[in-house]
Amino acid sequence: MTKLHCIFMQGVKKPFREVIDVAWGDAQGAGIKPLTFVRQVLAACLYPQLLDSNRLPTDVKQKARGLLSECHGGSMGSYTDLPGIPQVAREISEYIARRDGGDPPKTGNIFISPGSQWALQNILNLLVHGHGEVRSGVLTPIPCHVTTIESLHSLGGVSVPYYLSEEHGWELQMEELNRALEYAKQVCAPVALYVVNPGNPPGHVQSKKSIQDVIRFALEKRLFLLVDEVYQDCVYADNVEFVSYKKVLAEMGPPFSDTVELASFHSASKGFLGEAGLRGGYVELVNMDPDVIKYACTIFSKDTAPTPGQIALSVLANPPRLGDPSYPLYEMETQQMQTMIKANVRRVHEVLDSLPGISCQPVEGGAFAFPRVDLPPKALQKAKEMGMEPDTFYCLRLLEESGAFITPGCEYGQKEGTYHIRFCIRSPGDVIEDFLGRLVTFHTQFMKEFS
Amino acid sequence: MKMRLFSPRNVRLLRRGPRDVLGSSCGGPCSPSPPLTSPSVPPVALCRALSSLTASRRGLPQKKMSENGISRPKVLTLDTMNPTVKMVEYAVRGPIVQRAVELEKELSEGIEKPFTEVIKANIGDAQAMGQQPITFFRQVLALCSYPELLNLDNTFPEDAKNRARLILQSCGGSSLGAYSPSQGIDYVRQDVANYIERRDGGVPCDPDNIYLTTGASDGITTILKLLVCGQGIDRTGVMISIPQYPLYSAALAELGAVQINYFLNEDNCWSMDIQELQRAVNEARQHCHPRALCIINPGNPTGQVQSRDCIEDVIRFAAKERLFLMADEVYQDNVYAEGCKFHSFKKVLFEMGPEYSETVELASFHSTSKCYMGECGFRGGYMEVINMDDDVKSQLTKLVSVRLCSPVPGQALMDLVVNPPQPGEPSYNCFIKERTATLSALAEKAKLTEKILNTVPGIRCNPVQGAMYSFPCITIPDKAIKEALEKGQQPDMFYCMTMLEETGICLVPGSGFGQKRINEGFVVMTILPPIDKLTILLNKVKEFHQRFTKQYS
C-alpha cells in the first residue's frame, strides 16, 4: 500500500488506469487541461522566437512582449524585483480593484511569492514569536488543510483550533470563535485569526454577514486577519457568491476599514488556471504598519516568485476580454470547466445522498467534498486493533480494494467521534464518475462487512 | 553503529504531513483531537503570567487616530513583530539597490542625471546583463509548456521534442502545472544523481538523497532550519566565510542562530585557512554550540576556487570538530584561472576513504541561476545530502513538504542542465557553441576586470579565479571616512552611494558582506556586463575613484 502511495507520489504513468488519485487538490494532476492562453503566453515568453511566427494569436504575442519588455534584459531568466514583474503587480492591483470596487491597491502592498503558502509563511514569520516563554498563537479552523498549520509550527507558533459547524454546512460560528480565543489566551499570546474562504476541506462559502462578524471580532479582540482566498474562483452553488474580506472591510467603513489588519492570499494554483506546478501566488496587505512593511520587503525579497508563476498570475489577473482574439477559446475552456465541475458536485451529492452511512454538507465552493462517514462499531474496533484512525483504515481499505486514493478526515481535524473523507471534485467528469462507482461498491461492502 | 552528530534530539520536531497518512510512519492516532496542536503546552501557573505579558506586549499606543480621536494601536508593529526579523538585512537587495531603483525611476521620468542609465553591477543576474539563454533549454521548456508545438514540423529539433515528451511523461497529468512530489520529480532526481556520478568520477549517488529546491537558497535555508536549535550557550552556531554572500547572514539572523565568522586569506587569493577556522571555532565554543560549517566554492563574492588539498583539510577539520558541512557549489562551472579546477566536496570526501566518507555529514547545493545557464528567474536548484541521520532525513522531507513543491519548470530546466545534448544529437553543436562562448566570455571578463582595476592607484584586485564577481579593495581617504561616519554610514557604503549618484553604477559595499576595515573598503562588482560595456564600466569606476580620492584628500 505504501508502495502504491509512492507510485502515486512519483506521478509515474501506469500502463492502465487501475488506480484513481483524487486525494489532492491538483486539477492538472487529475487530468484537467491547462488553459490554452496561459500556455501560449508562457511558451512565447520562454522562446521569444515564437513571436516572429504566425503560430500564435496576436493578443498572446502582445501580452508576451509586454511582460518580456519589463523583465531585466528582456528575459524570463532574470531575477525580478519586488513585488515582481511590474506589469504583473499592476495587473493584480487592477484585478483587485475590479473585484472589490474602490481604488486599486498600491503595488507596494502586494507581494508575489512562489505560491500562496510561501507568502503566508512569510507573514506568519512577521507575526509569530517562536522562542521563549511567550509563544504566539493563531486561531485555525477545524477541519483545516495541513500545510498552514505545519508552517506555523515550524516557526514555533501555536495553532489554536476553532471548530467549524458541520451541522450548519461547516459555517464559522462566533460563539465557537470566542470560546477558542478565551482558551488560547491561557496557553499562548493569540495574535492572528486564519480563515479559509471558500473552505478546504469543507466546501463552505462564507456569507457577507459572517465575514462582517469576523471583522468585528478581529477589531474587538485585536487579531490580525489572515484570509486564504485561493478558491475564490471556485464557487458552484447557485445562490452563493464569493465576496472578499477586503471588500466587506471597505464597505463597513471606519473604524474597521482603516484599522483591521488583513492579509489576503490568492494563487494561480487553483481556480480555472490550476497551475499548481508553476508556483505563483500573492498576498495583499491591508492596513499594515508601514514600518513593518519594510521588513516584509526584506523577507519577501529573499525568495522571489519564479517567472513562469508570475506569468500565470498575469493571466489570472488580466485574462482575455471580449473582443480579444483569444477570448472565445478562453471563455469556452473556462465555461466547460465550470460546467463540468458543477456537474461533478451534483453527481457527488446525488450519489452520496443515496448511500446509507455517508452524508455530505453542500459543496458550495472550493476543491473538495468532505463527507462524513458513520463507521459502525466493529469497524472502529478493527481500526483500533490495527493501530490506526478509523477513517484512515477506511481509506486504506478503499485504496486496496478498489484502487481509489483519497485522504481521511483525521488529517484535517474533526470533532471527536466523527469520521470524514476528503476527495477532490476538480477532476475530469469521467474520473469522478469512475471514483463514485468504486466508492459505492466499496462502501456498501465495507458497511456490510462490519455490520 | 554510526554515531551521527546531528540527531533527531537536535531537530525541532514537526508534525506529520498529509502525505504520510497512509505511509508506514503512521503508527498511532493522528487526529489533533486535543484542542492544542503545538508541540508543548505551558503549565497553568505560567498561563496567567502569559496573559499579563500579552497585554503589556501588545498595548503600545500608536500614532494612528480614528475619526473620534481615540488612538488605535495596530496588532502588528515593530515592537510586536517577531524580533528575529528585525535582525535580518539582505544586502544584495538593501538600501543601495533601493536607491538604484529610485534613480532608474527618476531617469525614466526624464529627470536629468550625470549618467544616462543605472547599471546594476551588484547582483549575479547574467541574463539581466545581456547573457543569452541556451537555445535548447528554452526550446524544450516551450514545448513542455505548450505541447501543441510538438506537432509543428520544422520549428523545433527532434531531440528537443523528445526531451519534452520525456519530461512531460514524468509530470502528473503530463503537465508542468501539476504539483510534483515535494522532494521533486523522480525522473529528474535520477538524472541529477547520474550527473553527480559522472561529475565525480563514478562516486555513487543515491537519488533518494537528492532534493529539488526553489533555487539553491531554498535548500540552504531548509538545512539551516534543521540545524538551528538550543538555547543560550547551546544555541547553534554556523561558521560562514567572511566575505560571504548575504543570504547566509540573513538566514541565520532570521533563524536566531549564532553567526561564526571565519576570515578568508586575502593575501593568498582568498583561500580558506585551517588555523583561522580553528581560531573561529575555539572562540565560538565559549558562547554557542558550533554545528555547521558553510563553504562557498567557487566563492561569492571573492571568486576563489579552493584547491583539492584545502578541501581535504576542511573535511578533516569538520570531522574533528563535529561540524555539518554545507557546500554551496552553484558556481561549479565558473572556473577561469589557469591551474584552478573545481573539486566537489563530495568527490573529495569519498576519495578520502570510509573514515570520512561514512561519517562526515554533508549537504551540497547547486542551481540553474549561475554557471553558463544564468536562469535565475526559474528558481531551479537541488541539494544532495550525504550521511544524514535517517530520522533527521524524514524531518527534512516533512519540512520541504511545507513548500508543497519547487517550481516544476525549474525542475524541468535542472533536468536539462544535468543532462544536456550529447555529441551526435541534433542540438549538440549549437549547445556546445553557446556554452563555450558564454564561459569563455566570462573568463575574458574576469581577466579584464583584474587588469583594469589594478591599474588604479588605491584599488587592488585579486585575480578572479571563478564565480561572477570581482572583490576589489579600495583605499578610502580619511576625510571621506569622516563624512561617512557623520552620515551614519559605513565608509564603503558612502563610497558606493556616491558612485551611484555620480555615475549610475550600482555596486554593493563589502560591509554588506561582513568584511570591515578602517581605511580600506571592499566593493563587489559583477563581471557580467558584455565586454565592451564592462570596459566602459571599469574605466568609469577608475575615473570615479580618482576623482573621489582627489576630492577627499
Side-chain angles (χ1 to χ4, degrees):
Chain A
M1 191 281 314
T2 309
K3 195 171 160 225
L4 272 172
H5 173 72
C6 289
I7 289 172
F8 270 121
M9 295 324 293
Q10 286 159 19
V12 169
K13 196 175 171 198
K14 295 167 68 58
F16 54 94
R17 284 197 88 149
E18 192 181 355
V19 196
I20 278 190
D21 180 359
V22 282
W24 315 117
D26 186 357
Q28 290 192 26
I32 292 188
K33 295 286 163 231
L35 295 176
T36 303
F37 186 75
V38 178
R39 295 311 190 84
Q40 286 174 331
V41 172
L42 184 54
C45 289
L46 285 163
Y47 192 58
Q49 284 84 331
L50 289 169
L51 294 169
D52 301 326
S53 75
N54 51 8
R55 307 283 184 188
L56 299 171
T58 50
D59 51 353
V60 166
K61 292 195 209 178
Q62 196 179 16
K63 193 161 182 87
R65 284 195 178 103
L67 287 164
L68 286 174
S69 73
E70 292 195 347
C71 291
H72 297 302
S75 167
M76 273 185 77
S78 310
Y79 286 117
T80 55
D81 300 322
L82 268 187
I85 299 171
Q87 176 175 325
V88 180
R90 281 193 311 270
E91 286 172 322
I92 292 174
S93 169
E94 285 156 18
Y95 162 80
I96 293 169
R98 278 196 315 275
R99 183 193 68 188
D100 297 339
D103 292 331
K106 283 195 281 201
T107 52
N109 287 335
I110 296 170
F111 292 87
I112 297 174
S113 56
S116 61
Q117 285 293 316
W118 197 303
L120 176 57
Q121 186 169 60
N122 283 351
I123 302 297
L124 285 172
N125 198 8
L126 292 170
L127 283 161
V128 168
H129 292 236
H131 313 293
E133 288 178 356
V134 182
R135 293 227 311 249
S136 308
V138 177
L139 274 72
T140 55
I142 286 224
C144 185
H145 67 110
V146 192
T147 313
T148 300
I149 297 184
E150 297 217 314
S151 225
L152 174 60
H153 289 177
S154 78
L155 291 167
V158 173
S159 58
V160 181
Y162 59 90
Y163 287 79
L164 300 176
S165 173
E166 182 166 14
E167 312 85 73
H168 299 99
W170 294 109
E171 70 177 21
L172 188 158
Q173 296 194 314
M174 295 314 298
E175 262 172 51
E176 170 57 15
L177 215 51
N178 272 293
R179 179 212 62 77
L181 181 62
E182 287 316 302
Y183 179 85
K185 286 180 184 168
Q186 296 171 48
V187 297
C188 66
V191 70
L193 166 59
Y194 176 66
V195 177
V196 185
N197 181 44
N200 171 8
H204 177 66
V205 177
Q206 241 183 321
S207 68
K208 191 163 164 179
K209 177 177 182 306
S210 175
I211 296 176
Q212 287 170 341
D213 289 342
V214 170
I215 289 172
R216 268 185 217 105
F217 179 79
L219 180 72
E220 187 196 321
K221 306 291 182 184
R222 294 183 39 74
L223 293 170
F224 193 106
L225 269 178
L226 300 164
V227 189
D228 190 334
E229 297 177 318
V230 300
Y231 295 108
Q232 58 189 265
D233 295 326
C234 306
V235 178
Y236 318 120
D238 290 324
N239 54 345
V240 162
E241 204 186 38
F242 166 82
V243 59
S244 77
Y245 264 73
K246 181 174 176 215
K247 183 174 186 187
V248 177
L249 180 65
E251 286 172 353
M252 286 169 80
F256 307 99
S257 56
D258 54 17
T259 313
V260 174
E261 291 147 77
L262 168 70
S264 153
F265 301 89
H266 195 16
S267 147
S269 302
K270 314 295 176 187
F272 296 110
L273 266 71
E275 298 284 10
L278 298 189
R279 314 310 302 123
Y282 75 79
V283 58
E284 184 200 355
L285 299 172
V286 181
N287 290 330
M288 196 177 218
D289 186 317
D291 292 332
V292 177
I293 291 201
K294 290 195 186 119
Y295 282 96
C297 289
T298 311
I299 302 282
F300 277 90
S301 68
K302 291 195 289 98
D303 309 303
T304 49
T307 43
Q310 295 195 39
I311 288 167
L313 285 173
S314 171
V315 178
L316 173 74
N318 189 13
R321 302 189 201 201
L322 188 61
D324 292 345
S326 298
Y327 180 75
L329 181 61
Y330 172 84
E331 183 68 4
M332 186 186 84
E333 288 175 342
T334 51
Q335 283 308 310
Q336 271 178 358
M337 206 185 294
Q338 183 73 345
T339 305
M340 179 181 75
I341 295 171
K342 273 182 156 173
N344 288 348
V345 171
R346 267 197 310 274
R347 267 307 274 158
V348 164
H349 283 303
E350 234 170 59
V351 169
L352 294 183
D353 285 346
S354 69
L355 262 186
I358 285 196
S359 59
C360 190
Q361 293 295 320
V363 176
E364 296 176 333
F368 304 96
F370 194 62
R372 179 167 148 174
V373 186
D374 296 319
L375 296 171
K378 281 190 184 165
L380 302 183
Q381 181 61 32
K382 180 77 184 193
K384 197 171 173 186
E385 283 164 24
M386 293 187 66
M388 56 177 72
E389 285 295 300
D391 38 17
T392 305
F393 172 60
Y394 182 91
C395 292
L396 197 58
R397 289 287 292 268
L398 175 66
L399 179 60
E400 283 172 347
E401 291 175 20
S402 74
F405 187 25
I406 62 176
T407 52
C410 61
E411 272 305 296
Y412 310 100
Q414 56 203 347
K415 254 197 185 139
E416 189 93 45
T418 66
Y419 309 102
H420 298 80
I421 53 173
R422 187 191 85 160
F423 57 89
C424 182
I425 45 99
R426 292 188 74 86
S427 311
D430 55 340
V431 171
I432 293 294
E433 201 55 48
D434 185 354
F435 166 71
L436 287 171
R438 299 183 196 203
L439 180 66
V440 169
T441 309
F442 165 78
H443 181 81
T444 313
Q445 275 169 4
F446 183 91
M447 295 305 247
K448 196 168 168 192
E449 182 186 337
F450 292 100
S451 61
Chain B
M1 177 77 178
K2 285 180 226 180
M3 238 290 275
R4 294 268 170 263
L5 96 95
F6 181 42
S7 70
R9 274 191 327 253
N10 302 357
V11 171
R12 182 187 292 156
L13 287 169
L14 301 168
R15 269 185 59 227
R16 278 180 317 102
R19 281 142 177 85
D20 289 347
V21 67
L22 299 176
S24 53
S25 58
C26 177
C30 49
S31 160
S33 348
L36 257 190
T37 50
S38 74
S40 71
V41 179
V44 174
L46 196 52
C47 295
R48 290 196 201 101
L50 284 182
S51 4
S52 64
L53 269 170
T54 308
S56 59
R57 188 169 70 77
R58 293 207 266 123
L60 295 170
Q62 285 297 305
K63 297 145 247 172
K64 190 148 182 61
M65 305 291 269
S66 75
E67 281 189 355
N68 45 8
I70 300 165
S71 89
R72 300 226 177 240
K74 285 195 186 287
V75 173
L76 182 58
T77 63
L78 288 186
D79 295 306
T80 64
M81 192 173 77
N82 176 6
T84 58
V85 170
K86 274 187 222 162
M87 312 293 287
V88 180
E89 281 169 18
Y90 190 44
V92 179
R93 291 171 212 270
I96 200 156
V97 177
Q98 286 170 32
R99 180 66 191 140
V101 172
E102 276 169 30
L103 285 170
E104 269 179 333
K105 199 159 169 249
E106 288 176 22
L107 273 177
S108 71
E109 287 164 4
I111 298 172
E112 220 180 281
K113 295 278 166 198
F115 47 86
T116 51
E117 69 172 315
V118 173
I119 302 175
K120 296 225 209 74
N122 57 297
I123 191 165
D125 189 345
Q127 293 190 23
M129 289 282 138
Q131 181 175 304
Q132 292 303 300
I134 299 290
T135 304
F136 180 75
F137 294 168
R138 295 303 193 88
Q139 287 175 331
V140 176
L141 288 175
L143 288 163
C144 286
S145 301
Y146 187 47
E148 276 70 6
L149 295 170
L150 289 165
N151 303 325
L152 298 181
D153 298 321
N154 299 317
T155 318
F156 297 96
E158 273 314 302
D159 53 353
K161 289 187 183 179
N162 289 335
R163 289 303 204 89
R165 288 186 186 107
L166 281 169
I167 288 170
L168 286 175
Q169 254 175 49
S170 73
C171 296
S174 297
S175 168
L176 293 185
Y179 284 113
S180 79
S182 301
Q183 198 170 339
I185 296 171
D186 196 58
Y187 168 83
V188 177
R189 292 193 291 122
Q190 184 65 63
D191 279 351
V192 169
N194 294 341
Y195 160 79
I196 291 172
E197 279 186 17
R198 278 192 317 270
R199 181 198 67 190
D200 294 344
V203 173
C205 178
D206 182 354
D208 204 47
N209 289 337
I210 304 294
Y211 291 76
L212 302 181
T213 55
T214 306
S217 350
D218 177 31
I220 291 164
T221 311
T222 301
I223 296 292
L224 285 174
K225 269 190 193 154
L226 281 177
L227 281 162
V228 176
C229 64
Q231 303 291 330
I233 198 166
D234 194 50
R235 190 79 182 149
T236 296
V238 177
M239 297 181 71
I240 181 66
S241 58
I242 297 303
Q244 52 97 29
Y245 174 48
L247 164 80
Y248 288 89
S249 46
L252 293 174
E254 206 178 309
L255 293 167
V258 178
Q259 181 173 327
I260 303 169
N261 296 333
Y262 66 87
F263 290 86
L264 298 175
N265 189 348
E266 188 189 349
D267 298 330
N268 193 19
C269 211
W270 303 112
S271 64
M272 291 178 78
D273 181 343
I274 297 300
Q275 278 181 335
E276 167 56 16
L277 287 176
Q278 192 68 64
R279 175 212 64 77
V281 83
N282 290 348
E283 198 263 357
R285 287 199 194 283
Q286 293 170 42
H287 61 269
C288 72
H289 187 150
R291 285 200 170 89
L293 168 57
C294 299
I295 301 109
I296 309 174
N297 181 47
N300 174 2
T302 54
Q304 89 280 9
V305 178
Q306 297 298 339
S307 70
R308 200 214 148 85
D309 285 345
C310 190
I311 294 175
E312 280 193 20
D313 288 343
V314 170
I315 290 171
R316 269 183 220 106
F317 175 79
K320 176 171 85 97
E321 299 294 332
R322 314 254 302 135
L323 298 168
F324 190 105
L325 269 175
M326 293 176 64
D328 181 341
E329 298 174 327
V330 302
Y331 297 101
Q332 53 191 265
D333 293 332
N334 298 112
V335 176
Y336 318 123
E338 274 168 38
C340 284
K341 193 175 167 214
F342 169 74
H343 302 278
S344 81
F345 262 78
K346 187 189 171 197
K347 180 177 189 205
V348 176
L349 177 67
F350 274 71
E351 288 174 353
M352 286 169 76
E355 181 197 345
Y356 296 99
S357 64
E358 286 179 9
T359 57
V360 175
E361 290 150 74
L362 166 70
S364 346
F365 307 92
H366 194 20
S367 141
T368 61
S369 304
K370 313 296 178 190
C371 298
Y372 63 92
M373 302 81 76
E375 299 281 22
C376 312
F378 291 89
R379 316 302 290 115
Y382 76 71
M383 62 182 172
E384 181 187 12
V385 296
I386 299 293
N387 292 329
M388 188 178 257
D389 177 286
D390 286 334
D391 292 330
V392 173
K393 200 142 168 272
S394 10
Q395 292 297 319
L396 170 61
T397 306
K398 249 172 256 177
L399 197 51
V400 305
S401 76
V402 170
R403 294 283 187 230
L404 295 158
C405 68
S406 66
V408 176
Q411 296 187 39
L413 178 58
M414 185 51 93
D415 189 68
L416 300 171
V417 168
V418 299
N419 192 10
Q422 293 302 302
E425 289 174 1
S427 300
Y428 178 74
N429 287 340
C430 177
F431 167 75
I432 211 70
K433 192 165 148 213
E434 289 173 347
R435 180 180 192 271
T436 308
T438 297
L439 288 174
S440 52
L442 284 166
E444 204 186 331
K445 291 186 276 193
K447 284 209 183 73
L448 182 74
T449 299
E450 184 198 341
K451 180 164 155 247
I452 293 183
L453 289 178
N454 280 325
T455 64
V456 186
I459 297 186
R460 68 167 188 276
C461 185
N462 262 332
V464 178
Q465 292 179 340
M468 288 178 174
Y469 317 90
S470 63
F471 194 62
C473 180
I474 46 165
T475 306
I476 303 177
D478 290 338
K479 276 193 188 162
I481 294 174
K482 191 157 169 268
E483 191 170 323
L485 296 176
E486 276 163 21
K487 285 192 168 154
Q489 280 180 349
Q490 290 290 333
D492 48 13
M493 171 66 93
F494 174 67
Y495 180 90
C496 289
M497 277 294 196
T498 313
M499 187 190 295
L500 177 62
E501 300 287 345
E502 288 183 18
T503 67
I505 298 169
C506 179
L507 308 181
V508 182
S511 48
F513 288 77
Q515 194 81 332
K516 286 185 179 76
R517 299 232 184 137
I518 306 207
N519 68 337
E520 282 181 346
F522 284 85
V523 292
V524 182
M525 186 161 80
T526 65
I527 58 167
L528 295 172
I531 201 148
D532 42 355
K533 205 164 182 178
L534 182 66
T535 312
I536 297 170
L537 191 70
L538 289 165
N539 283 309
K540 281 199 175 156
V541 169
K542 179 174 179 173
E543 280 161 25
F544 168 80
H545 185 83
Q546 287 163 337
R547 232 177 26 244
F548 184 88
T549 306
K550 198 167 173 196
Q551 185 187 345
Y552 287 97
S553 64

